[in-house]
Amino acid sequence: MAEFTLDLNDDQKQVRDWLHGFAADVIRPAASEWDEREETPWPVIQEAAKVGIYSLDFYAQQFFDPTGLGIPMAMEELFWGDAGIALSIVGTGLAAVGVLANGTEEQIGTWIPQMYGDANDVKVAAFCSSEPDAGSDVASMRTRAVYDEAKDEWVLNGTKTWATNGGIANVHVVVAVVDPDLGSKGHASFIVPPATPGLSQGQKFKKHGIRASHTAEVVLEDVRVPGHCLLGGKEKLDERLARARERAKAGGERVKNAAMATFEASRPAVGAMAVGTARAAYEVALDYAKTRSQFGRPIIDNQGIAFQLADMRTRIDAARLLVWRASWMATTGKPFTSAEGSMSKLYASETAKSVTAQALQILGGNGFTREYPVERMHRDAAIYTIFEGTSEIQRLVIARTLSGMPIR
């Protein structure tokens, strides 16, 4: 088991510096353009694929880093470059985590490579869980998957929303209800292969922030997928449902939910994204405060500005520590007995909102214009307290874990 350390090893430092260079040289110069265009930045994704950042091998190396710090380190550097473009680069990872969390070895080996494609033919993937009436309330999910035993096929019907890469993905991972009587315990995840009839893109959303990331509805109308596209396989599903029915009768322990398994694994990574955005805004504000003069001296000479910057940096470092702790715990198999994953996501998300707002205030009128990047960073930061579990849901998870009570 890897010991927890705050010192990156030489290999990690090399990867960090490489990612930082890509973020500085490729992502940042393109950030404003793709934010304005509100389109998927395919040329940037292609560049990331060419150098090996957008690839299964790269994410596998970071995912299996024995210290657990590979993924959060990568997320922080890329999102330091720009949140919208970075999300387009890493968005496929959520679908990949969905397969890793719930799939068999054969499914992992078959489908994850198809999510990325290669440098000459880049692909993306989408994880589809949220619905118009079921976001945080996964028990209200309406998308149904019905098994056609005669054909060994699953038939999916429903509408998903807020899907990153939804409709443009090569592979979609869809969470659906297989047993409505079991609530959230009656869910399963399915692979929808490329060009499957019945799957279409619904509304594409025009967003407040992360505009370079494609977000849309996914409509499923009698979508038929082969039996082997059920993640984990039918035998495992039948066993899990049987246990859930027995425990429901006895009022027993919780059974793992397919969507929640994915979110639990990805929450510290989202926290790292928020840390990257916060750090970027802080650095802009710090440089501005040191060079902007008012009343004959740099504005950082004023305690009102200097103390804000001190608080901003303190919160960023604290958020990173929570993210690294949760990532190390997850990798080394230590249980989140105090909801440490949710803690990291909650604090880092709130930090990103707070720090980007303070950065905008420090820049004053300039911060409110698109001539400076903090305006975009401030808009981007709003998403962190919303997606993959709102801050309110994180607090609920933490409170329930600490108290053992069914707090509502």
Side-chain angles (χ1 to χ4, degrees), residues 101-102 127 129 135-136 138 175 184 187 254-267 388-389 393 397:
N102 301 295
F127 183 76
S129 177
S136 299
V138 295
V175 182
S184 63
H187 296 176
R254 293 177 57 195
V255 177
K256 185 178 79 169
N257 172 267
M260 289 302 102
T262 301
F263 292 139
E264 287 169 7
S266 64
R267 277 172 179 161
E388 294 201 51
I393 289 296
V397 170

PDB file of all heavy atoms in Angstrom, residues 101-102 127 129 135-136 138 175 184 187 254-267 388-389 393 397:
ATOM      1  N   ALA A 101     -16.373   0.805 -13.240  1.00  0.00           N
ATOM      2  CA  ALA A 101     -17.028   0.568 -11.948  1.00  0.00           C
ATOM      3  C   ALA A 101     -18.011  -0.590 -12.001  1.00  0.00           C
ATOM      4  O   ALA A 101     -18.232  -1.257 -10.981  1.00  0.00           O
ATOM      5  CB  ALA A 101     -17.749   1.837 -11.493  1.00  0.00           C
ATOM      6  N   ASN A 102     -18.600  -0.835 -13.157  1.00  0.00           N
ATOM      7  CA  ASN A 102     -19.699  -1.798 -13.232  1.00  0.00           C
ATOM      8  C   ASN A 102     -19.494  -2.931 -14.238  1.00  0.00           C
ATOM      9  O   ASN A 102     -20.242  -3.912 -14.206  1.00  0.00           O
ATOM     10  CB  ASN A 102     -21.006  -1.064 -13.591  1.00  0.00           C
ATOM     11  CG  ASN A 102     -21.371   0.007 -12.580  1.00  0.00           C
ATOM     12  OD1 ASN A 102     -21.660  -0.279 -11.436  1.00  0.00           O
ATOM     13  ND2 ASN A 102     -21.339   1.263 -13.014  1.00  0.00           N
ATOM     14  N   PHE A 127     -21.748   9.665 -20.589  1.00  0.00           N
ATOM     15  CA  PHE A 127     -22.407   8.971 -19.483  1.00  0.00           C
ATOM     16  C   PHE A 127     -23.755   9.623 -19.265  1.00  0.00           C
ATOM     17  O   PHE A 127     -23.838  10.834 -19.017  1.00  0.00           O
ATOM     18  CB  PHE A 127     -21.562   9.047 -18.212  1.00  0.00           C
ATOM     19  CG  PHE A 127     -22.146   8.300 -17.053  1.00  0.00           C
ATOM     20  CD1 PHE A 127     -22.071   6.925 -16.998  1.00  0.00           C
ATOM     21  CD2 PHE A 127     -22.769   8.972 -16.007  1.00  0.00           C
ATOM     22  CE1 PHE A 127     -22.610   6.217 -15.929  1.00  0.00           C
ATOM     23  CE2 PHE A 127     -23.308   8.278 -14.935  1.00  0.00           C
ATOM     24  CZ  PHE A 127     -23.229   6.897 -14.892  1.00  0.00           C
ATOM     25  N   SER A 129     -27.082   9.739 -17.129  1.00  0.00           N
ATOM     26  CA  SER A 129     -27.791   9.360 -15.910  1.00  0.00           C
ATOM     27  C   SER A 129     -28.950  10.311 -15.604  1.00  0.00           C
ATOM     28  O   SER A 129     -30.087   9.881 -15.451  1.00  0.00           O
ATOM     29  CB  SER A 129     -26.825   9.331 -14.724  1.00  0.00           C
ATOM     30  OG  SER A 129     -27.495   9.038 -13.523  1.00  0.00           O
ATOM     31  N   GLY A 135     -32.605  14.347 -11.297  1.00  0.00           N
ATOM     32  CA  GLY A 135     -31.199  14.711 -11.269  1.00  0.00           C
ATOM     33  C   GLY A 135     -30.573  14.118 -10.019  1.00  0.00           C
ATOM     34  O   GLY A 135     -30.134  12.974 -10.001  1.00  0.00           O
ATOM     35  N   SER A 136     -30.578  14.894  -8.936  1.00  0.00           N
ATOM     36  CA  SER A 136     -30.091  14.370  -7.662  1.00  0.00           C
ATOM     37  C   SER A 136     -30.974  13.239  -7.146  1.00  0.00           C
ATOM     38  O   SER A 136     -30.506  12.318  -6.474  1.00  0.00           O
ATOM     39  CB  SER A 136     -30.037  15.496  -6.627  1.00  0.00           C
ATOM     40  OG  SER A 136     -29.158  16.515  -7.039  1.00  0.00           O
ATOM     41  N   VAL A 138     -32.181  10.251  -7.907  1.00  0.00           N
ATOM     42  CA  VAL A 138     -32.054   9.155  -8.870  1.00  0.00           C
ATOM     43  C   VAL A 138     -33.179   8.145  -8.745  1.00  0.00           C
ATOM     44  O   VAL A 138     -33.465   7.398  -9.687  1.00  0.00           O
ATOM     45  CB  VAL A 138     -30.691   8.445  -8.728  1.00  0.00           C
ATOM     46  CG1 VAL A 138     -29.559   9.380  -9.095  1.00  0.00           C
ATOM     47  CG2 VAL A 138     -30.509   7.890  -7.316  1.00  0.00           C
ATOM     48  N   VAL A 175     -27.796   4.751 -17.816  1.00  0.00           N
ATOM     49  CA  VAL A 175     -28.356   4.160 -16.605  1.00  0.00           C
ATOM     50  C   VAL A 175     -29.872   4.113 -16.765  1.00  0.00           C
ATOM     51  O   VAL A 175     -30.502   5.113 -17.108  1.00  0.00           O
ATOM     52  CB  VAL A 175     -27.981   4.976 -15.361  1.00  0.00           C
ATOM     53  CG1 VAL A 175     -28.535   4.322 -14.097  1.00  0.00           C
ATOM     54  CG2 VAL A 175     -26.466   5.115 -15.245  1.00  0.00           C
ATOM     55  N   SER A 184     -34.006   3.233  -6.486  1.00  0.00           N
ATOM     56  CA  SER A 184     -32.654   3.408  -7.027  1.00  0.00           C
ATOM     57  C   SER A 184     -31.852   2.119  -7.038  1.00  0.00           C
ATOM     58  O   SER A 184     -30.848   2.006  -7.744  1.00  0.00           O
ATOM     59  CB  SER A 184     -31.901   4.479  -6.222  1.00  0.00           C
ATOM     60  OG  SER A 184     -31.751   4.061  -4.877  1.00  0.00           O
ATOM     61  N   HIS A 187     -31.662  -0.138 -10.606  1.00  0.00           N
ATOM     62  CA  HIS A 187     -31.046   0.448 -11.796  1.00  0.00           C
ATOM     63  C   HIS A 187     -29.931  -0.438 -12.322  1.00  0.00           C
ATOM     64  O   HIS A 187     -29.338  -1.220 -11.580  1.00  0.00           O
ATOM     65  CB  HIS A 187     -30.457   1.832 -11.482  1.00  0.00           C
ATOM     66  CG  HIS A 187     -31.474   2.845 -11.079  1.00  0.00           C
ATOM     67  ND1 HIS A 187     -31.133   4.119 -10.679  1.00  0.00           N
ATOM     68  CD2 HIS A 187     -32.828   2.788 -11.005  1.00  0.00           C
ATOM     69  CE1 HIS A 187     -32.229   4.799 -10.379  1.00  0.00           C
ATOM     70  NE2 HIS A 187     -33.268   4.010 -10.563  1.00  0.00           N
ATOM     71  N   ARG A 254     -27.975  -1.200   2.439  1.00  0.00           N
ATOM     72  CA  ARG A 254     -28.037  -0.648   1.089  1.00  0.00           C
ATOM     73  C   ARG A 254     -27.353  -1.563   0.104  1.00  0.00           C
ATOM     74  O   ARG A 254     -26.411  -2.275   0.422  1.00  0.00           O
ATOM     75  CB  ARG A 254     -27.364   0.720   1.035  1.00  0.00           C
ATOM     76  CG  ARG A 254     -28.072   1.796   1.808  1.00  0.00           C
ATOM     77  CD  ARG A 254     -27.269   3.080   1.728  1.00  0.00           C
ATOM     78  NE  ARG A 254     -27.055   3.493   0.363  1.00  0.00           N
ATOM     79  CZ  ARG A 254     -26.162   4.410   0.007  1.00  0.00           C
ATOM     80  NH1 ARG A 254     -25.404   4.977   0.903  1.00  0.00           N
ATOM     81  NH2 ARG A 254     -26.020   4.747  -1.254  1.00  0.00           N
ATOM     82  N   VAL A 255     -27.828  -1.521  -1.142  1.00  0.00           N
ATOM     83  CA  VAL A 255     -27.190  -2.225  -2.251  1.00  0.00           C
ATOM     84  C   VAL A 255     -26.638  -1.184  -3.207  1.00  0.00           C
ATOM     85  O   VAL A 255     -27.268  -0.150  -3.458  1.00  0.00           O
ATOM     86  CB  VAL A 255     -28.205  -3.134  -2.983  1.00  0.00           C
ATOM     87  CG1 VAL A 255     -27.547  -3.802  -4.172  1.00  0.00           C
ATOM     88  CG2 VAL A 255     -28.753  -4.171  -2.028  1.00  0.00           C
ATOM     89  N   LYS A 256     -25.457  -1.428  -3.753  1.00  0.00           N
ATOM     90  CA  LYS A 256     -24.797  -0.458  -4.618  1.00  0.00           C
ATOM     91  C   LYS A 256     -25.670  -0.080  -5.805  1.00  0.00           C
ATOM     92  O   LYS A 256     -26.261  -0.921  -6.462  1.00  0.00           O
ATOM     93  CB  LYS A 256     -23.461  -1.027  -5.124  1.00  0.00           C
ATOM     94  CG  LYS A 256     -22.652  -0.037  -5.936  1.00  0.00           C
ATOM     95  CD  LYS A 256     -21.330  -0.615  -6.360  1.00  0.00           C
ATOM     96  CE  LYS A 256     -21.455  -1.541  -7.541  1.00  0.00           C
ATOM     97  NZ  LYS A 256     -20.129  -1.908  -8.112  1.00  0.00           N
ATOM     98  N   ASN A 257     -25.765   1.203  -6.079  1.00  0.00           N
ATOM     99  CA  ASN A 257     -26.491   1.731  -7.225  1.00  0.00           C
ATOM    100  C   ASN A 257     -25.515   2.004  -8.354  1.00  0.00           C
ATOM    101  O   ASN A 257     -24.420   2.522  -8.121  1.00  0.00           O
ATOM    102  CB  ASN A 257     -27.212   3.029  -6.813  1.00  0.00           C
ATOM    103  CG  ASN A 257     -27.825   3.753  -7.983  1.00  0.00           C
ATOM    104  OD1 ASN A 257     -27.183   4.627  -8.548  1.00  0.00           O
ATOM    105  ND2 ASN A 257     -29.043   3.408  -8.342  1.00  0.00           N
ATOM    106  N   ALA A 258     -25.898   1.660  -9.606  1.00  0.00           N
ATOM    107  CA  ALA A 258     -24.973   1.748 -10.738  1.00  0.00           C
ATOM    108  C   ALA A 258     -24.468   3.164 -10.973  1.00  0.00           C
ATOM    109  O   ALA A 258     -23.278   3.387 -11.203  1.00  0.00           O
ATOM    110  CB  ALA A 258     -25.660   1.212 -11.996  1.00  0.00           C
ATOM    111  N   ALA A 259     -25.375   4.148 -10.935  1.00  0.00           N
ATOM    112  CA  ALA A 259     -24.951   5.530 -11.169  1.00  0.00           C
ATOM    113  C   ALA A 259     -24.110   6.050 -10.013  1.00  0.00           C
ATOM    114  O   ALA A 259     -23.100   6.727 -10.206  1.00  0.00           O
ATOM    115  CB  ALA A 259     -26.176   6.426 -11.368  1.00  0.00           C
ATOM    116  N   MET A 260     -24.522   5.712  -8.779  1.00  0.00           N
ATOM    117  CA  MET A 260     -23.792   6.213  -7.613  1.00  0.00           C
ATOM    118  C   MET A 260     -22.373   5.661  -7.552  1.00  0.00           C
ATOM    119  O   MET A 260     -21.451   6.327  -7.084  1.00  0.00           O
ATOM    120  CB  MET A 260     -24.547   5.865  -6.327  1.00  0.00           C
ATOM    121  CG  MET A 260     -25.829   6.656  -6.142  1.00  0.00           C
ATOM    122  SD  MET A 260     -25.564   8.452  -6.115  1.00  0.00           S
ATOM    123  CE  MET A 260     -26.067   8.913  -7.767  1.00  0.00           C
ATOM    124  N   ALA A 261     -22.179   4.434  -8.025  1.00  0.00           N
ATOM    125  CA  ALA A 261     -20.827   3.875  -8.047  1.00  0.00           C
ATOM    126  C   ALA A 261     -19.911   4.701  -8.923  1.00  0.00           C
ATOM    127  O   ALA A 261     -18.737   4.910  -8.615  1.00  0.00           O
ATOM    128  CB  ALA A 261     -20.873   2.427  -8.546  1.00  0.00           C
ATOM    129  N   THR A 262     -20.451   5.197 -10.032  1.00  0.00           N
ATOM    130  CA  THR A 262     -19.668   6.049 -10.926  1.00  0.00           C
ATOM    131  C   THR A 262     -19.362   7.388 -10.275  1.00  0.00           C
ATOM    132  O   THR A 262     -18.226   7.867 -10.298  1.00  0.00           O
ATOM    133  CB  THR A 262     -20.430   6.274 -12.241  1.00  0.00           C
ATOM    134  OG1 THR A 262     -20.678   5.008 -12.858  1.00  0.00           O
ATOM    135  CG2 THR A 262     -19.620   7.134 -13.196  1.00  0.00           C
ATOM    136  N   PHE A 263     -20.369   8.015  -9.669  1.00  0.00           N
ATOM    137  CA  PHE A 263     -20.168   9.326  -9.062  1.00  0.00           C
ATOM    138  C   PHE A 263     -19.228   9.259  -7.867  1.00  0.00           C
ATOM    139  O   PHE A 263     -18.418  10.161  -7.644  1.00  0.00           O
ATOM    140  CB  PHE A 263     -21.510   9.926  -8.642  1.00  0.00           C
ATOM    141  CG  PHE A 263     -22.394  10.288  -9.809  1.00  0.00           C
ATOM    142  CD1 PHE A 263     -23.751  10.033  -9.770  1.00  0.00           C
ATOM    143  CD2 PHE A 263     -21.863  10.866 -10.942  1.00  0.00           C
ATOM    144  CE1 PHE A 263     -24.564  10.364 -10.849  1.00  0.00           C
ATOM    145  CE2 PHE A 263     -22.662  11.200 -12.025  1.00  0.00           C
ATOM    146  CZ  PHE A 263     -24.019  10.948 -11.973  1.00  0.00           C
ATOM    147  N   GLU A 264     -19.337   8.189  -7.058  1.00  0.00           N
ATOM    148  CA  GLU A 264     -18.453   8.047  -5.915  1.00  0.00           C
ATOM    149  C   GLU A 264     -16.993   8.005  -6.350  1.00  0.00           C
ATOM    150  O   GLU A 264     -16.114   8.567  -5.708  1.00  0.00           O
ATOM    151  CB  GLU A 264     -18.808   6.778  -5.133  1.00  0.00           C
ATOM    152  CG  GLU A 264     -20.100   6.897  -4.331  1.00  0.00           C
ATOM    153  CD  GLU A 264     -20.563   5.560  -3.798  1.00  0.00           C
ATOM    154  OE1 GLU A 264     -19.807   4.571  -3.936  1.00  0.00           O
ATOM    155  OE2 GLU A 264     -21.670   5.491  -3.242  1.00  0.00           O
ATOM    156  N   ALA A 265     -16.747   7.335  -7.477  1.00  0.00           N
ATOM    157  CA  ALA A 265     -15.376   7.199  -7.965  1.00  0.00           C
ATOM    158  C   ALA A 265     -14.841   8.490  -8.568  1.00  0.00           C
ATOM    159  O   ALA A 265     -13.629   8.716  -8.612  1.00  0.00           O
ATOM    160  CB  ALA A 265     -15.304   6.079  -9.000  1.00  0.00           C
ATOM    161  N   SER A 266     -15.743   9.358  -9.028  1.00  0.00           N
ATOM    162  CA  SER A 266     -15.294  10.541  -9.765  1.00  0.00           C
ATOM    163  C   SER A 266     -15.329  11.831  -8.955  1.00  0.00           C
ATOM    164  O   SER A 266     -14.799  12.846  -9.404  1.00  0.00           O
ATOM    165  CB  SER A 266     -16.165  10.716 -11.020  1.00  0.00           C
ATOM    166  OG  SER A 266     -17.515  10.966 -10.665  1.00  0.00           O
ATOM    167  N   ARG A 267     -15.913  11.833  -7.768  1.00  0.00           N
ATOM    168  CA  ARG A 267     -16.057  13.082  -7.015  1.00  0.00           C
ATOM    169  C   ARG A 267     -14.736  13.765  -6.687  1.00  0.00           C
ATOM    170  O   ARG A 267     -14.614  14.979  -6.864  1.00  0.00           O
ATOM    171  CB  ARG A 267     -16.890  12.841  -5.750  1.00  0.00           C
ATOM    172  CG  ARG A 267     -18.382  12.882  -6.045  1.00  0.00           C
ATOM    173  CD  ARG A 267     -19.247  12.471  -4.897  1.00  0.00           C
ATOM    174  NE  ARG A 267     -20.663  12.561  -5.293  1.00  0.00           N
ATOM    175  CZ  ARG A 267     -21.659  11.945  -4.676  1.00  0.00           C
ATOM    176  NH1 ARG A 267     -21.398  11.190  -3.628  1.00  0.00           N
ATOM    177  NH2 ARG A 267     -22.903  12.076  -5.099  1.00  0.00           N
ATOM    178  N   GLU A 388     -22.622  16.355 -10.950  1.00  0.00           N
ATOM    179  CA  GLU A 388     -22.147  15.185 -10.193  1.00  0.00           C
ATOM    180  C   GLU A 388     -22.429  15.313  -8.707  1.00  0.00           C
ATOM    181  O   GLU A 388     -21.608  14.966  -7.864  1.00  0.00           O
ATOM    182  CB  GLU A 388     -20.661  14.931 -10.476  1.00  0.00           C
ATOM    183  CG  GLU A 388     -20.421  14.526 -11.913  1.00  0.00           C
ATOM    184  CD  GLU A 388     -19.108  13.809 -12.101  1.00  0.00           C
ATOM    185  OE1 GLU A 388     -18.846  12.851 -11.361  1.00  0.00           O
ATOM    186  OE2 GLU A 388     -18.361  14.210 -12.992  1.00  0.00           O
ATOM    187  N   GLY A 389     -23.601  15.801  -8.399  1.00  0.00           N
ATOM    188  CA  GLY A 389     -24.013  15.974  -7.015  1.00  0.00           C
ATOM    189  C   GLY A 389     -23.854  17.399  -6.565  1.00  0.00           C
ATOM    190  O   GLY A 389     -22.739  17.900  -6.439  1.00  0.00           O
ATOM    191  N   ILE A 393     -26.455  18.121  -1.974  1.00  0.00           N
ATOM    192  CA  ILE A 393     -26.420  16.665  -1.914  1.00  0.00           C
ATOM    193  C   ILE A 393     -25.147  16.190  -1.218  1.00  0.00           C
ATOM    194  O   ILE A 393     -25.169  15.241  -0.420  1.00  0.00           O
ATOM    195  CB  ILE A 393     -26.523  16.058  -3.325  1.00  0.00           C
ATOM    196  CG1 ILE A 393     -27.942  16.243  -3.877  1.00  0.00           C
ATOM    197  CG2 ILE A 393     -26.132  14.590  -3.334  1.00  0.00           C
ATOM    198  CD1 ILE A 393     -29.015  15.502  -3.099  1.00  0.00           C
ATOM    199  N   VAL A 397     -25.019  13.784   2.023  1.00  0.00           N
ATOM    200  CA  VAL A 397     -24.230  12.546   2.103  1.00  0.00           C
ATOM    201  C   VAL A 397     -23.317  12.573   3.323  1.00  0.00           C
ATOM    202  O   VAL A 397     -23.217  11.596   4.076  1.00  0.00           O
ATOM    203  CB  VAL A 397     -23.403  12.352   0.813  1.00  0.00           C
ATOM    204  CG1 VAL A 397     -22.401  11.207   0.978  1.00  0.00           C
ATOM    205  CG2 VAL A 397     -24.315  12.087  -0.380  1.00  0.00           C
TER     206      VAL A 397
END
